[in-house]
Amino acid sequence: NNFFRSLIIPLLFVMLALTHSSLQSLAKQPSCCPHAPLAAPVLCRPHQSACNLSRRPRKGVQRRDSPVAPVAAQGMDTNEAEEEEERVLRTLQQCTRRIRELGDRGRVKDAIQELANLSKKNVQPDTYAATALVRACCKDMELAQSVFDELFGDFLEPDEVAFAVLLRGYGNANPPNWQKIDATLTTMQLKYGLVPATTSYNALLEVCCRTNDVERGEDIIDRMHTDEVEPDEFTEAAVASKRTLRAYLRKVFS
């Protein structure tokens, strides 16, 4: 695994370096939120583990798009720019779909190469493609975390969906790695200013149901209610296999 990572992580560096020059001309988005201290964590009674879910109000929905316009579109007239935009969008959609397929087949190296090949097409990766690649790597969470760290931050802004992939990945460990889950939530809030919402809570509840961790699940539902995060159909699906949590969710939000 270490040898594999030593080969493919530099590949990401090369791909990102090829598109870095176009990013330098843009104002960087703030990547940390220094005025947003963590609220009291959710302490899970039997384990005394913390899931740091901020009580700060949401600042709005995060967009899941590419941070900049394609380089090739600069200097074009309107029609050419529109055609280029369509080409880039089509290329990114195809790349994301291909990465998902390769990830499902366990062909992680090929999935990484698929993203790296975007540089040959003069297309910058977007959040969808990057998230798909992180998901493809989640059978090896050290690798998935390394890929996440290389793709997001300087080049792309992660959103809640991208972090939920990490939450599920660490939650799929046996036993779940709640320490890493806690660290992921902390990074999400303090470094990127993202407030955990339904997507994050659903990922945590899925882990609790899979491991029959009812008390931790009840704590998470209580925190959802306190933070005024309304459950959705995916929340219902997450707790569907545990009657106790399903009933508790309906009780709390009735």
Side-chain angles (χ1 to χ4, degrees):
N1 284 341
N2 289 334
F3 178 71
F4 179 57
R5 282 189 287 271
S6 70
L7 290 176
I8 61 179
I9 296 303
L11 182 62
L12 284 175
F13 270 120
V14 172
M15 183 272 292
L16 293 171
L18 290 173
T19 60
H20 182 58
S21 59
S22 64
L23 290 167
Q24 288 180 321
S25 61
L26 298 173
K28 291 186 177 180
Q29 300 179 14
S31 60
C32 101
C33 185
H35 304 295
L38 285 177
V42 175
L43 295 179
C44 303
R45 290 183 294 272
H47 306 280
Q48 291 298 300
S49 297
C51 299
N52 289 312
L53 302 174
S54 173
R55 297 177 184 271
R56 293 181 290 110
R58 298 186 70 187
K59 296 182 179 179
V61 178
Q62 297 291 321
R63 293 182 59 186
R64 304 198 73 218
D65 51 9
S66 182
V68 296
V71 180
Q74 298 177 10
M76 293 181 175
D77 61 32
T78 302
N79 291 335
E80 290 175 332
E82 289 178 353
E83 291 177 1
E84 174 63 12
E85 184 177 353
E86 291 177 359
R87 181 191 73 85
V88 169
L89 178 60
R90 183 170 58 254
T91 300
L92 287 170
Q93 290 174 338
Q94 293 171 348
C95 176
T96 301
R97 182 168 57 251
R98 180 63 176 160
I99 290 173
R100 288 173 178 167
E101 292 172 353
L102 291 170
D104 291 342
R105 298 174 188 173
R107 295 168 58 183
V108 177
K109 185 176 181 180
D110 290 336
I112 293 176
Q113 182 64 58
E114 188 72 25
L115 188 72
N117 286 342
L118 286 176
S119 63
K120 300 176 182 178
K121 303 173 184 178
N122 199 25
V123 174
Q124 299 174 42
D126 64 358
T127 305
Y128 284 110
T131 301
L133 182 58
V134 175
R135 182 182 289 110
C137 298
C138 274
K139 289 186 177 179
D140 179 348
M141 284 308 298
E142 186 176 348
L143 173 61
Q145 186 67 65
S146 296
V147 169
F148 183 97
D149 293 341
E150 295 303 330
L151 287 173
F152 292 110
D154 292 335
F155 296 96
L156 292 170
E157 282 291 315
D159 60 7
E160 189 183 15
V161 175
F163 278 102
V165 170
L166 291 180
L167 296 178
R168 288 187 173 91
Y170 286 123
N172 284 335
N174 190 22
N177 193 335
W178 288 101
Q179 183 177 0
K180 287 290 188 180
I181 289 174
D182 179 60
T184 299
L185 290 165
T186 299
T187 298
M188 176 179 171
Q189 295 171 85
L190 293 187
K191 185 174 181 180
Y192 295 101
L194 293 174
V195 179
T198 310
T199 299
S200 299
Y201 283 105
N202 290 350
L204 299 178
L205 288 173
E206 288 173 11
V207 177
C208 293
C209 288
R210 183 181 64 81
T211 58
N212 199 29
D213 195 341
V214 174
E215 290 193 76
R216 196 191 302 263
E218 289 178 347
D219 286 334
I220 291 170
I221 291 172
D222 287 338
R223 189 57 181 270
M224 286 182 68
H225 185 262
T226 300
D227 289 349
E228 299 181 349
V229 176
E230 290 293 324
D232 58 16
E233 65 271 23
F234 299 107
T235 314
E236 293 282 351
V239 299
S241 62
K242 293 300 173 194
R243 183 168 56 184
T244 303
L245 287 179
R246 188 169 66 247
Y248 191 74
L249 179 72
R250 292 173 180 172
K251 175 185 176 182
V252 170
F253 286 95
S254 61

PDB file of all heavy atoms in Angstrom, residues 182-203:
ATOM      1  N   ASP A 182     -14.268  12.499  14.230  1.00  0.00           N
ATOM      2  CA  ASP A 182     -14.250  13.746  14.997  1.00  0.00           C
ATOM      3  C   ASP A 182     -13.280  14.754  14.384  1.00  0.00           C
ATOM      4  O   ASP A 182     -13.595  15.945  14.230  1.00  0.00           O
ATOM      5  CB  ASP A 182     -13.863  13.441  16.437  1.00  0.00           C
ATOM      6  CG  ASP A 182     -13.802  14.686  17.299  1.00  0.00           C
ATOM      7  OD1 ASP A 182     -14.833  15.362  17.423  1.00  0.00           O
ATOM      8  OD2 ASP A 182     -12.727  14.988  17.843  1.00  0.00           O
ATOM      9  N   ALA A 183     -12.090  14.272  13.994  1.00  0.00           N
ATOM     10  CA  ALA A 183     -11.091  15.160  13.394  1.00  0.00           C
ATOM     11  C   ALA A 183     -11.586  15.708  12.052  1.00  0.00           C
ATOM     12  O   ALA A 183     -11.333  16.872  11.714  1.00  0.00           O
ATOM     13  CB  ALA A 183      -9.773  14.410  13.208  1.00  0.00           C
ATOM     14  N   THR A 184     -12.293  14.880  11.293  1.00  0.00           N
ATOM     15  CA  THR A 184     -12.830  15.314  10.001  1.00  0.00           C
ATOM     16  C   THR A 184     -13.867  16.418  10.184  1.00  0.00           C
ATOM     17  O   THR A 184     -13.869  17.423   9.461  1.00  0.00           O
ATOM     18  CB  THR A 184     -13.451  14.123   9.258  1.00  0.00           C
ATOM     19  OG1 THR A 184     -12.443  13.128   9.025  1.00  0.00           O
ATOM     20  CG2 THR A 184     -14.040  14.555   7.921  1.00  0.00           C
ATOM     21  N   LEU A 185     -14.747  16.247  11.159  1.00  0.00           N
ATOM     22  CA  LEU A 185     -15.757  17.266  11.432  1.00  0.00           C
ATOM     23  C   LEU A 185     -15.120  18.570  11.897  1.00  0.00           C
ATOM     24  O   LEU A 185     -15.571  19.672  11.547  1.00  0.00           O
ATOM     25  CB  LEU A 185     -16.747  16.753  12.477  1.00  0.00           C
ATOM     26  CG  LEU A 185     -17.690  15.638  12.003  1.00  0.00           C
ATOM     27  CD1 LEU A 185     -18.368  14.967  13.191  1.00  0.00           C
ATOM     28  CD2 LEU A 185     -18.726  16.187  11.036  1.00  0.00           C
ATOM     29  N   THR A 186     -14.067  18.456  12.688  1.00  0.00           N
ATOM     30  CA  THR A 186     -13.369  19.649  13.167  1.00  0.00           C
ATOM     31  C   THR A 186     -12.723  20.399  12.001  1.00  0.00           C
ATOM     32  O   THR A 186     -12.816  21.627  11.898  1.00  0.00           O
ATOM     33  CB  THR A 186     -12.301  19.263  14.206  1.00  0.00           C
ATOM     34  OG1 THR A 186     -12.930  18.629  15.320  1.00  0.00           O
ATOM     35  CG2 THR A 186     -11.549  20.494  14.693  1.00  0.00           C
ATOM     36  N   THR A 187     -12.055  19.670  11.113  1.00  0.00           N
ATOM     37  CA  THR A 187     -11.450  20.285   9.934  1.00  0.00           C
ATOM     38  C   THR A 187     -12.505  20.945   9.064  1.00  0.00           C
ATOM     39  O   THR A 187     -12.313  22.059   8.562  1.00  0.00           O
ATOM     40  CB  THR A 187     -10.703  19.218   9.112  1.00  0.00           C
ATOM     41  OG1 THR A 187      -9.654  18.660   9.907  1.00  0.00           O
ATOM     42  CG2 THR A 187     -10.101  19.835   7.848  1.00  0.00           C
ATOM     43  N   MET A 188     -13.612  20.271   8.900  1.00  0.00           N
ATOM     44  CA  MET A 188     -14.714  20.793   8.084  1.00  0.00           C
ATOM     45  C   MET A 188     -15.166  22.162   8.580  1.00  0.00           C
ATOM     46  O   MET A 188     -15.415  23.078   7.793  1.00  0.00           O
ATOM     47  CB  MET A 188     -15.870  19.777   8.134  1.00  0.00           C
ATOM     48  CG  MET A 188     -17.130  20.182   7.428  1.00  0.00           C
ATOM     49  SD  MET A 188     -18.344  18.837   7.585  1.00  0.00           S
ATOM     50  CE  MET A 188     -19.796  19.662   6.918  1.00  0.00           C
ATOM     51  N   GLN A 189     -15.227  22.313   9.895  1.00  0.00           N
ATOM     52  CA  GLN A 189     -15.729  23.557  10.476  1.00  0.00           C
ATOM     53  C   GLN A 189     -14.655  24.641  10.568  1.00  0.00           C
ATOM     54  O   GLN A 189     -14.865  25.778  10.113  1.00  0.00           O
ATOM     55  CB  GLN A 189     -16.288  23.280  11.870  1.00  0.00           C
ATOM     56  CG  GLN A 189     -17.511  22.379  11.858  1.00  0.00           C
ATOM     57  CD  GLN A 189     -17.883  21.958  13.259  1.00  0.00           C
ATOM     58  OE1 GLN A 189     -18.592  22.672  13.962  1.00  0.00           O
ATOM     59  NE2 GLN A 189     -17.404  20.807  13.678  1.00  0.00           N
ATOM     60  N   LEU A 190     -13.517  24.301  11.155  1.00  0.00           N
ATOM     61  CA  LEU A 190     -12.515  25.319  11.452  1.00  0.00           C
ATOM     62  C   LEU A 190     -11.704  25.735  10.237  1.00  0.00           C
ATOM     63  O   LEU A 190     -11.358  26.911  10.097  1.00  0.00           O
ATOM     64  CB  LEU A 190     -11.580  24.822  12.552  1.00  0.00           C
ATOM     65  CG  LEU A 190     -12.212  24.650  13.935  1.00  0.00           C
ATOM     66  CD1 LEU A 190     -11.145  24.309  14.957  1.00  0.00           C
ATOM     67  CD2 LEU A 190     -12.951  25.916  14.352  1.00  0.00           C
ATOM     68  N   LYS A 191     -11.394  24.798   9.353  1.00  0.00           N
ATOM     69  CA  LYS A 191     -10.561  25.140   8.199  1.00  0.00           C
ATOM     70  C   LYS A 191     -11.378  25.666   7.036  1.00  0.00           C
ATOM     71  O   LYS A 191     -10.946  26.577   6.322  1.00  0.00           O
ATOM     72  CB  LYS A 191      -9.751  23.916   7.755  1.00  0.00           C
ATOM     73  CG  LYS A 191      -8.773  24.233   6.629  1.00  0.00           C
ATOM     74  CD  LYS A 191      -7.888  23.042   6.315  1.00  0.00           C
ATOM     75  CE  LYS A 191      -6.891  23.389   5.203  1.00  0.00           C
ATOM     76  NZ  LYS A 191      -6.013  22.243   4.882  1.00  0.00           N
ATOM     77  N   TYR A 192     -12.582  25.091   6.843  1.00  0.00           N
ATOM     78  CA  TYR A 192     -13.368  25.446   5.661  1.00  0.00           C
ATOM     79  C   TYR A 192     -14.665  26.192   5.981  1.00  0.00           C
ATOM     80  O   TYR A 192     -15.375  26.600   5.071  1.00  0.00           O
ATOM     81  CB  TYR A 192     -13.683  24.194   4.845  1.00  0.00           C
ATOM     82  CG  TYR A 192     -12.444  23.543   4.274  1.00  0.00           C
ATOM     83  CD1 TYR A 192     -11.886  22.414   4.874  1.00  0.00           C
ATOM     84  CD2 TYR A 192     -11.805  24.078   3.167  1.00  0.00           C
ATOM     85  CE1 TYR A 192     -10.740  21.825   4.362  1.00  0.00           C
ATOM     86  CE2 TYR A 192     -10.656  23.504   2.651  1.00  0.00           C
ATOM     87  CZ  TYR A 192     -10.136  22.373   3.254  1.00  0.00           C
ATOM     88  OH  TYR A 192      -8.990  21.795   2.760  1.00  0.00           O
ATOM     89  N   GLY A 193     -14.978  26.344   7.265  1.00  0.00           N
ATOM     90  CA  GLY A 193     -16.166  27.098   7.634  1.00  0.00           C
ATOM     91  C   GLY A 193     -17.476  26.453   7.219  1.00  0.00           C
ATOM     92  O   GLY A 193     -18.477  27.137   7.030  1.00  0.00           O
ATOM     93  N   LEU A 194     -17.485  25.135   7.075  1.00  0.00           N
ATOM     94  CA  LEU A 194     -18.695  24.409   6.674  1.00  0.00           C
ATOM     95  C   LEU A 194     -19.415  23.889   7.916  1.00  0.00           C
ATOM     96  O   LEU A 194     -18.798  23.253   8.781  1.00  0.00           O
ATOM     97  CB  LEU A 194     -18.343  23.231   5.765  1.00  0.00           C
ATOM     98  CG  LEU A 194     -17.778  23.591   4.384  1.00  0.00           C
ATOM     99  CD1 LEU A 194     -17.341  22.331   3.654  1.00  0.00           C
ATOM    100  CD2 LEU A 194     -18.812  24.350   3.569  1.00  0.00           C
ATOM    101  N   VAL A 195     -20.697  24.160   7.991  1.00  0.00           N
ATOM    102  CA  VAL A 195     -21.498  23.720   9.124  1.00  0.00           C
ATOM    103  C   VAL A 195     -22.147  22.378   8.797  1.00  0.00           C
ATOM    104  O   VAL A 195     -22.865  22.272   7.799  1.00  0.00           O
ATOM    105  CB  VAL A 195     -22.590  24.761   9.459  1.00  0.00           C
ATOM    106  CG1 VAL A 195     -23.446  24.291  10.629  1.00  0.00           C
ATOM    107  CG2 VAL A 195     -21.953  26.106   9.765  1.00  0.00           C
ATOM    108  N   PRO A 196     -21.911  21.356   9.590  1.00  0.00           N
ATOM    109  CA  PRO A 196     -22.556  20.062   9.324  1.00  0.00           C
ATOM    110  C   PRO A 196     -24.070  20.194   9.290  1.00  0.00           C
ATOM    111  O   PRO A 196     -24.670  20.779  10.186  1.00  0.00           O
ATOM    112  CB  PRO A 196     -22.094  19.195  10.500  1.00  0.00           C
ATOM    113  CG  PRO A 196     -20.817  19.818  10.949  1.00  0.00           C
ATOM    114  CD  PRO A 196     -20.997  21.299  10.741  1.00  0.00           C
ATOM    115  N   ALA A 197     -24.657  19.655   8.259  1.00  0.00           N
ATOM    116  CA  ALA A 197     -26.108  19.685   8.101  1.00  0.00           C
ATOM    117  C   ALA A 197     -26.607  18.260   7.905  1.00  0.00           C
ATOM    118  O   ALA A 197     -25.970  17.306   8.359  1.00  0.00           O
ATOM    119  CB  ALA A 197     -26.486  20.588   6.933  1.00  0.00           C
ATOM    120  N   THR A 198     -27.730  18.107   7.224  1.00  0.00           N
ATOM    121  CA  THR A 198     -28.364  16.798   7.127  1.00  0.00           C
ATOM    122  C   THR A 198     -27.444  15.741   6.525  1.00  0.00           C
ATOM    123  O   THR A 198     -27.418  14.600   6.986  1.00  0.00           O
ATOM    124  CB  THR A 198     -29.649  16.907   6.276  1.00  0.00           C
ATOM    125  OG1 THR A 198     -30.439  17.990   6.761  1.00  0.00           O
ATOM    126  CG2 THR A 198     -30.464  15.626   6.366  1.00  0.00           C
ATOM    127  N   THR A 199     -26.675  16.121   5.510  1.00  0.00           N
ATOM    128  CA  THR A 199     -25.795  15.159   4.844  1.00  0.00           C
ATOM    129  C   THR A 199     -24.802  14.545   5.825  1.00  0.00           C
ATOM    130  O   THR A 199     -24.568  13.329   5.817  1.00  0.00           O
ATOM    131  CB  THR A 199     -25.039  15.852   3.693  1.00  0.00           C
ATOM    132  OG1 THR A 199     -25.987  16.347   2.743  1.00  0.00           O
ATOM    133  CG2 THR A 199     -24.102  14.890   3.000  1.00  0.00           C
ATOM    134  N   SER A 200     -24.219  15.359   6.688  1.00  0.00           N
ATOM    135  CA  SER A 200     -23.250  14.857   7.670  1.00  0.00           C
ATOM    136  C   SER A 200     -23.926  14.001   8.720  1.00  0.00           C
ATOM    137  O   SER A 200     -23.434  12.909   9.070  1.00  0.00           O
ATOM    138  CB  SER A 200     -22.537  16.032   8.340  1.00  0.00           C
ATOM    139  OG  SER A 200     -21.825  16.810   7.406  1.00  0.00           O
ATOM    140  N   TYR A 201     -25.060  14.465   9.234  1.00  0.00           N
ATOM    141  CA  TYR A 201     -25.773  13.695  10.250  1.00  0.00           C
ATOM    142  C   TYR A 201     -26.230  12.348   9.704  1.00  0.00           C
ATOM    143  O   TYR A 201     -26.176  11.331  10.402  1.00  0.00           O
ATOM    144  CB  TYR A 201     -26.986  14.483  10.754  1.00  0.00           C
ATOM    145  CG  TYR A 201     -26.649  15.597  11.713  1.00  0.00           C
ATOM    146  CD1 TYR A 201     -26.688  16.930  11.312  1.00  0.00           C
ATOM    147  CD2 TYR A 201     -26.294  15.324  13.034  1.00  0.00           C
ATOM    148  CE1 TYR A 201     -26.386  17.950  12.192  1.00  0.00           C
ATOM    149  CE2 TYR A 201     -25.991  16.339  13.925  1.00  0.00           C
ATOM    150  CZ  TYR A 201     -26.038  17.665  13.497  1.00  0.00           C
ATOM    151  OH  TYR A 201     -25.729  18.668  14.377  1.00  0.00           O
ATOM    152  N   ASN A 202     -26.683  12.332   8.458  1.00  0.00           N
ATOM    153  CA  ASN A 202     -27.125  11.072   7.867  1.00  0.00           C
ATOM    154  C   ASN A 202     -25.985  10.060   7.798  1.00  0.00           C
ATOM    155  O   ASN A 202     -26.182   8.865   8.064  1.00  0.00           O
ATOM    156  CB  ASN A 202     -27.682  11.316   6.465  1.00  0.00           C
ATOM    157  CG  ASN A 202     -29.005  12.052   6.477  1.00  0.00           C
ATOM    158  OD1 ASN A 202     -29.618  12.229   7.528  1.00  0.00           O
ATOM    159  ND2 ASN A 202     -29.442  12.491   5.312  1.00  0.00           N
ATOM    160  N   ALA A 203     -24.789  10.549   7.436  1.00  0.00           N
ATOM    161  CA  ALA A 203     -23.628   9.661   7.369  1.00  0.00           C
ATOM    162  C   ALA A 203     -23.314   9.067   8.741  1.00  0.00           C
ATOM    163  O   ALA A 203     -23.020   7.871   8.863  1.00  0.00           O
ATOM    164  CB  ALA A 203     -22.420  10.426   6.830  1.00  0.00           C
TER     165      ALA A 203
END
